[in-house]
Amino acid sequence: MAVTFLQPGSPTRRFLGDFRESWIATGALAVVVLIVLLAVFAPWITPQDPYDIANLSLADARRPPGFVGSEGYVHVLGTDAQGRDLLSAILFGLRISLEMGLAAGLFSFVLGASLGILAAYLGGRFETAIMRFVDLQLSFPAILLALVLVALLGQGKGQLIVALVAAQYAYFARTAFGAAATERRKDYVEAAAATPLSGRRIILRHLLPNALPPLIVVATVQVANAIALEATLSFLGLGLPETEPSLGMLIANGFQYMMNGRYWISVYPGIALIVLIVAINLVGDQIRDQLNPRLRR
Amino acid sequence: MSAAAVLQVAGLSTSFFTKAGVARAVQDVSFTLGRGEVLGLVGESGSGKSVTGFSLLGLVDPPGRIVAGSVRLEGQELVGLPSHALRKVRGRRIAMIFQDPMMTLHPVLSIATQMGLAIAAHERVGRAATRARCIEVLNRVGIPGAAERLDAFPHQISGGMRQRVDIAIALLHRPAVIIADEPTTALDVSVQAQILAEMRSLVAESGTSLVWISHDLAVVAALSDRIAVMYGGRIVEEGPTDVVLTGPRHPYTQGLLDSLPSRAKPGTELVQIPGGTPSLLALPEGCPFRPRCPRETEICRTMPEPTGDALRRARCHHPLVLSPAEAA
Amino acid sequence: MSAAFVSIAQVSKRFAPHLSLGDKLAAKLGGAVETRAVKAVTDVSLAIRRGETLGLVGESGCGKSTLGRLVAGITSPDAGVVELEGAPIRARGRKTTTRIQTVFQDPFASLDPRMRVGDTIAEGPLAHGLVPAGEGAKAFARRWLGTVGLEPDYVDRFPHQFSGGQRQRIAIARALAMKPDVLVCDEPVASLDVSIQAQIINLFLDLRRRLDLTMLFISHDLGVVRHLCDRVAVMYLGRIVEIGPTAELYGAPKHPYARALLEAVPKIEGGRAVFKPISGEIPSPLDPPPGCAFNPRCPLATDLCRAELPALRELAPDWRAACHYAR
């Protein structure tokens, strides 16, 4: 039995109200915000600039958490193989991970959403060409594509972002196409065409805002995926140069010491990575649940 | 009257406990249905007519539940019956037909399979006998070539035929009562006319009682012996069909009749009821029709009790037509 | 035939099934794939006169909505042309006029859920330069809300905050804000409650008079059409079978289908009178029967009806029917 009621407020405000009711999602969002703040302000709050080789002393290498180093401060999470303060390295690593994840997410979003919505609006041959290509790419493992591209393009932030976008835009395109194709068939789009309004206006003012909710869900998940993908590439040594270690590389560097008890070099960056990805996914899950009309109470 | 009553509903109230508040969808609904009688339950969206139908079968899902009242089917109380006991009653002694036949029909099972399952739910019948019975029932609801249609899938037949199959399934166990929730609303007028004509003869021959829920006064006029008009979760007027339609007592019933274009001179302004139907979450105090009523006075802030007898009553402080007894 | 304001000349529209590569392959290999086109509208000619309201009635699948979309300029015909005062309303795959506007059936679907109703009303006029941007547009939207009987202060609300009847008023305001000469209404009261229907019908009566509108009013509800329309056209399987002045046609329909349709409508006054509904169902528009499309259900059908398509003949002044035997 469906009983419907009129609800006050804008769609966005209702959305935020519902979001606050889930304490898991609210907590996860708080964690994400905290990590982002830590990463943004890393240069001011970390005891050491881990990228400055002049700061590193091999005498401090591979020390356990709590060790007081030659610089005279406590290495709360210990040091890595090059003598970097691990806490500083993790925060700077998070900075890179988030930077890569957000940049890749943003560019994939713009590229994928544009292609998907345009395909849905134009239909016909354009739709067939774009969407078949997207389907083809979706049947291909993203990591494989990213690996090949990084191998071809070489190392560097720009190259990495290109590889991540190429591996991920298809998800956005698929989602945007599905959502926009559904909206396109609705009467309000027909009403806009009957006015008549220009195609540009219909796409920007009607299709895009209405196709946005599922795209936001994909965006949260894909930012998390981009971070994981970047970590994987760095772990395999194909990511960023060793002078700017990201989380994946920190984990890789500590890997060889795991067996002789120096667990912290890998484990702490690993925990940071897991917490970040899980928190983003929890936020994404809640958004998805709220946007799914079938789960609506 | 009550000796022959098949269905006795008294004080039935159903509420939905939602985040936004308690929606009192059905409040204090009482009526009696005699054997072979057709009751038309009329109302607009949000009047509680469909929820009343679902409540009669105990088909109200959380966050809704029946909060008070009694539903007696051939003397047996249904409210508060455990679900396994309700399942024995449902489909066998009281059945439901929905506006969308696909509520009942499974999209990937053949009609024969579905009707067989519906029979097997309550009886053990052999395969040949099942088939024979299905064909017989399909013939009764006016499906031509029933034997061939039996092996079709729901998507292969038209909407009108699907609704007929739905009606056939409801008739399988010769239930005492059928609740029909707007079964012809989605159909074309010519198909609706066919089904209405068939429904009348089916009820007459099988002695089944029928509660026909509809927003369309004309459909109800064509089919029912008695009419109950619902507004804001309550029955506001009840009586024999022709009596209610020719001499309505409740201003709402009068307003509904006046607003029909078929009763006005073409091109003239229709007599309209101002405002909209109230939200079940925020029903006005007293009579729910008060804010839209032309006869509203101070006393309407209290809930009027039904006046009249079980055959002809209205829930209004200022009824339009007084019965001879009241006029005297 | 007096001067046509909107002229619809020999218009046809077919819908071919959208076949994927797999479907095409399956069809080639003899699979059960539907490759035939639905003939939604076949060779329809109509003239809507200035200031009149023409009703278009018929059952589902008869093509009345498709014809409405053709007149509204939403789709282009496969053959024939729709003209407003002699000028085609579409050119190079686009609608070229703003003088024809549309009101749709379902006000829950026809308003953009993420747009404030004021923006919805002002969007078209802004895009076409009928109102200045900024505060002027807002005042414009407020004025239109008032015109259709809503509180002007509702401009900043979203569609979900309104009831069905109120949303339909907003949809009407959106259409009329474009200052159209012609309004195409596709079942505009079908999804509304009875008491709300009367309000919207009254609104149409009032606005039509005040704004001097020409209307094409599509509905399956014969009572509503009789109330609002000067003339009525009855469609069956993509063709017009009868067209004439409303009062006369309702009084004595000439085509057997029009007669059957009018008789099938339950009437309150009719009580429980026994009526004899037409037998059978509307044939699939995928393969309409040869000859007169109504022949399989028609009580009067002869061999002529099964062989030859009857033309729409003038039987009385301004009254035409497509039946071999109509007088």
Side-chain angles (χ1 to χ4, degrees):
Chain A
M1 275 311 315
V3 178
T4 52
F5 306 105
L6 301 182
Q7 287 171 319
S10 74
T12 320
R13 200 173 314 159
R14 273 189 301 154
F15 185 87
L16 292 177
D18 284 352
F19 192 93
R20 270 202 295 274
E21 276 184 19
S22 160
W23 61 270
I24 295 182
T26 314
L29 184 63
V31 170
V32 173
V33 170
L34 181 74
I35 291 178
V36 169
L37 288 177
L38 284 175
V40 168
F41 294 107
W44 294 277
I45 53 179
T46 54
Q48 186 194 59
D49 178 359
Y51 299 159
D52 189 349
I53 300 165
N55 285 340
L56 305 182
S57 155
L58 276 178
D60 293 337
R62 298 190 291 279
R63 297 295 185 172
F67 169 78
V68 181
S70 53
E71 306 268 331
Y73 56 82
V74 182
H75 295 286
V76 181
L77 297 180
T79 60
D80 76 354
Q82 278 85 41
R84 284 192 192 96
D85 174 46
L86 211 48
L87 177 66
S88 309
I90 287 172
L91 292 186
F92 273 82
L94 278 171
R95 203 175 148 92
I96 293 178
S97 292
L98 279 168
E99 210 178 298
M100 292 293 110
L102 287 174
L106 184 73
F107 289 125
S108 316
F109 188 112
V110 173
L111 178 66
S114 307
L115 286 175
I117 293 177
L118 217 55
Y121 180 75
L122 294 174
R125 280 191 191 168
F126 186 82
E127 173 198 317
T128 311
I130 297 283
M131 294 322 291
R132 283 306 84 80
F133 186 77
V134 164
D135 286 344
L136 195 70
Q137 210 190 309
L138 283 175
S139 63
F140 217 69
I143 176 104
L144 206 58
L145 192 72
L147 271 173
V148 171
L149 276 173
V150 169
L152 284 176
L153 299 171
Q155 287 191 326
K157 278 187 180 175
Q159 288 88 329
L160 192 60
I161 289 173
V162 170
L164 291 175
V165 169
Q168 292 195 307
Y169 84 95
Y171 294 95
F172 288 93
R174 186 78 245 173
T175 308
F177 174 75
T182 309
E183 295 300 320
R184 176 144 176 52
R185 284 192 289 271
K186 292 191 178 162
D187 279 356
Y188 71 87
V189 176
E190 184 142 292
T195 301
L197 298 177
S198 64
R200 212 179 96 111
R201 194 177 262 274
I202 293 173
I203 288 174
L204 291 179
R205 303 249 340 214
H206 297 284
L207 284 181
L208 179 63
N210 283 287
L212 213 49
L215 281 173
I216 291 172
V217 176
V218 174
T220 47
V221 174
Q222 288 304 323
V223 166
N225 281 354
I227 291 170
L229 199 54
E230 182 273 329
T232 311
L233 292 174
S234 298
F235 183 85
L236 296 174
L238 289 162
L240 297 174
E242 223 165 313
T243 48
E244 288 182 57
S246 74
L247 289 177
M249 190 175 292
L250 286 176
I251 296 170
N253 289 347
F255 211 56
Q256 50 184 307
Y257 306 108
M258 282 288 274
M259 289 305 121
N260 39 27
R262 301 196 176 90
Y263 66 91
W264 59 89
I265 308 179
S266 276
V267 166
Y268 288 127
I271 290 174
L273 188 66
I274 289 169
V275 169
L276 176 62
I277 290 174
V278 168
I280 295 177
N281 274 311
L282 285 176
V283 173
D285 279 355
Q286 175 66 19
I287 298 175
R288 190 197 55 215
D289 287 355
Q290 272 181 238
L291 294 177
N292 185 342
R294 261 183 273 172
L295 295 176
R296 265 258 171 96
R297 298 127 301 165
Chain B
M1 184 71 214
S2 60
V6 177
L7 187 69
Q8 282 176 296
V9 181
L12 184 67
S13 300
T14 301
S15 294
F16 288 81
F17 298 87
T18 68
K19 269 200 306 180
V22 181
R24 299 183 201 287
V26 176
Q27 282 188 79
D28 195 16
V29 161
S30 306
F31 62 85
T32 306
L33 193 64
R35 188 164 297 282
E37 193 175 33
V38 181
L39 173 72
L41 198 56
V42 186
E44 299 181 278
S45 54
S47 64
K49 59 184 192 304
S50 289
V51 181
T52 302
F54 282 91
S55 302
L56 296 177
L57 281 90
L59 284 176
V60 183
D61 293 328
R65 67 184 158 82
I66 297 174
V67 290
S70 117
V71 176
R72 286 177 164 276
L73 177 68
E74 296 173 311
Q76 187 193 5
E77 178 62 57
L78 298 186
V79 174
L81 217 56
S83 57
H84 63 90
L86 258 179
R87 270 201 294 277
K88 283 194 179 142
V89 176
R90 234 186 265 145
R92 193 159 65 90
R93 291 167 54 206
I94 183 165
M96 187 145 187
I97 306 168
F98 300 92
Q99 175 172 349
D100 177 5
M102 293 309 279
M103 291 269 288
T104 309
L105 298 179
H106 195 291
V108 300
L109 296 179
S110 76
I111 288 158
T113 311
Q114 307 199 39
M115 294 185 77
L117 287 171
I119 293 176
H122 298 290
E123 284 174 54
R124 291 183 62 88
V125 182
R127 191 179 284 185
T130 298
R131 200 168 169 88
R133 185 147 144 206
C134 292
I135 293 174
E136 186 244 309
V137 178
L138 288 179
N139 278 328
R140 272 169 59 203
V141 296
I143 293 186
E148 297 92 73
R149 296 288 176 116
L150 199 50
D151 294 310
F153 289 87
H155 67 91
Q156 293 171 318
I157 59 177
S158 71
M161 285 299 161
R162 260 181 249 162
Q163 196 54 277
R164 285 195 169 89
V165 171
D166 211 10
I167 295 170
I169 290 175
L171 286 169
L172 273 175
H173 295 281
R174 296 189 170 269
V177 178
I178 293 178
I179 315 287
D181 187 9
E182 304 249 15
T184 61
T185 302
L187 303 177
D188 282 318
V189 273
S190 67
V191 179
Q192 168 173 285
Q194 292 164 4
I195 288 184
L196 289 181
E198 282 151 17
M199 220 52 216
R200 266 210 332 245
S201 57
L202 282 173
V203 170
E205 35 187 79
S206 62
T208 296
S209 310
L210 184 62
V211 177
W212 190 273
I213 299 168
S214 178
H215 70 284
D216 191 332
L217 281 168
V219 165
V220 169
L223 193 66
S224 60
D225 304 303
R226 285 195 304 133
I227 280 189
V229 181
M230 286 194 78
Y231 189 84
R234 294 175 190 266
I235 293 182
V236 295
E237 175 155 17
E238 190 190 344
T241 301
D242 46 344
V243 177
V244 171
L245 295 178
T246 51
R249 278 201 211 160
H250 200 284
Y252 173 63
T253 316
Q254 177 73 54
L256 272 187
L257 287 165
D258 285 343
S259 61
L260 292 175
S262 56
R263 290 163 68 96
K265 187 173 171 291
T268 56
E269 193 177 328
L270 298 172
V271 181
Q272 65 181 44
I273 305 177
T277 44
S279 160
L280 294 170
L281 280 170
L283 286 169
E285 173 200 358
C287 172
F289 189 57
R290 178 172 57 82
R292 304 173 73 187
C293 185
R295 300 167 78 88
E296 185 227 350
T297 61
E298 201 47 43
I299 194 178
C300 300
R301 290 187 177 276
T302 60
M303 177 59 72
E305 285 307 310
T307 52
D309 51 39
L311 290 175
R312 175 83 181 101
R313 46 185 175 177
R315 201 185 259 278
C316 179
H317 289 299
H318 310 293
L320 289 151
V321 185
L322 294 174
S323 64
E326 285 167 293
Chain C
M1 184 103 286
S2 53
F5 189 49
V6 179
S7 117
I8 299 143
Q10 280 118 44
V11 161
S12 296
K13 180 80 185 172
R14 308 185 324 149
F15 292 105
H18 187 80
L19 296 180
S20 69
L21 198 64
D23 291 338
K24 283 178 192 158
L25 211 64
K28 283 257 160 57
L29 298 171
V33 178
E34 189 54 74
T35 54
R36 289 171 298 177
V38 174
K39 291 180 188 139
V41 171
T42 314
D43 195 21
V44 166
S45 294
L46 258 186
I48 308 175
R49 297 162 198 160
R50 180 164 216 143
E52 81 166 343
T53 300
L54 175 67
L56 193 57
V57 301
E59 298 179 280
S60 56
C62 73
K64 60 183 190 302
S65 279
T66 305
L67 186 57
R69 288 158 49 89
L70 290 169
V71 175
I74 297 168
T75 48
S76 53
D78 298 327
V81 65
V82 180
E83 292 173 335
L84 175 65
E85 285 192 307
I89 60 165
R90 285 178 69 95
R92 281 181 287 124
R94 294 180 58 97
K95 185 177 176 181
T96 50
T97 181
T98 61
R99 293 171 63 199
I100 301 181
Q101 291 296 322
T102 321
V103 177
F104 295 86
Q105 171 175 357
D106 180 5
F108 286 80
S110 71
L111 299 176
D112 187 336
R114 293 189 175 266
M115 200 178 249
R116 292 175 197 276
V117 298
D119 295 334
T120 292
I121 292 172
E123 186 182 26
L126 273 174
H128 289 276
L130 300 178
V131 281
E135 276 309 300
K138 193 150 184 172
F140 175 83
R142 291 175 62 94
R143 215 163 45 240
W144 271 108
L145 280 178
T147 307
V148 296
L150 290 174
E151 195 58 53
D153 289 341
Y154 290 170
V155 275
D156 288 328
R157 294 200 179 180
F158 287 91
H160 72 89
Q161 292 170 282
F162 294 90
S163 66
Q166 290 174 319
R167 287 189 214 199
Q168 197 58 295
R169 286 174 192 269
I170 295 162
I172 292 168
R174 168 180 59 190
L176 295 179
M178 291 297 292
K179 299 256 172 253
D181 297 304
V182 181
L183 197 60
V184 175
C185 305
D186 187 3
E187 301 266 11
V189 297
S191 62
L192 305 176
D193 273 325
V194 186
S195 71
I196 309 301
Q197 273 191 15
Q199 297 174 1
I200 300 296
I201 290 170
N202 283 345
L203 181 65
F204 275 123
L205 285 168
D206 175 45
L207 292 171
R208 182 176 68 183
R209 195 168 42 233
R210 276 163 56 193
L211 303 172
D212 190 25
L213 287 170
T214 303
M215 283 170 59
L216 177 66
F217 196 93
I218 301 161
S219 180
H220 71 280
D221 188 328
L222 297 161
V224 173
V225 167
R226 187 184 62 175
H227 196 77
L228 273 172
C229 302
D230 306 304
R231 287 195 302 147
V232 60
V234 182
M235 280 188 85
Y236 189 76
L237 270 182
R239 291 176 193 271
I240 289 177
V241 295
E242 181 163 359
I243 177 167
T246 308
E248 284 87 338
L249 195 151
Y250 273 65
K254 294 189 183 294
H255 195 284
Y257 174 68
R259 196 176 311 141
L261 192 64
L262 284 164
E263 278 169 10
V265 180
K267 290 161 200 74
I268 289 190
E269 295 76 18
R272 296 194 294 145
V274 189
F275 53 89
K276 225 171 63 218
I278 3 171
S279 57
E281 295 189 9
I282 303 171
S284 160
L286 283 170
D287 66 307
C292 171
F294 189 56
N295 83 66
R297 303 171 75 189
C298 184
L300 310 172
T302 63
D303 285 341
L304 176 64
C305 306
R306 284 180 274 275
E308 202 177 302
L309 180 73
L312 203 56
R313 293 178 295 136
E314 182 127 9
L315 298 168
D318 204 23
W319 192 349
R320 292 177 293 155
C323 173
H324 291 303
Y325 298 101
R327 291 281 165 268

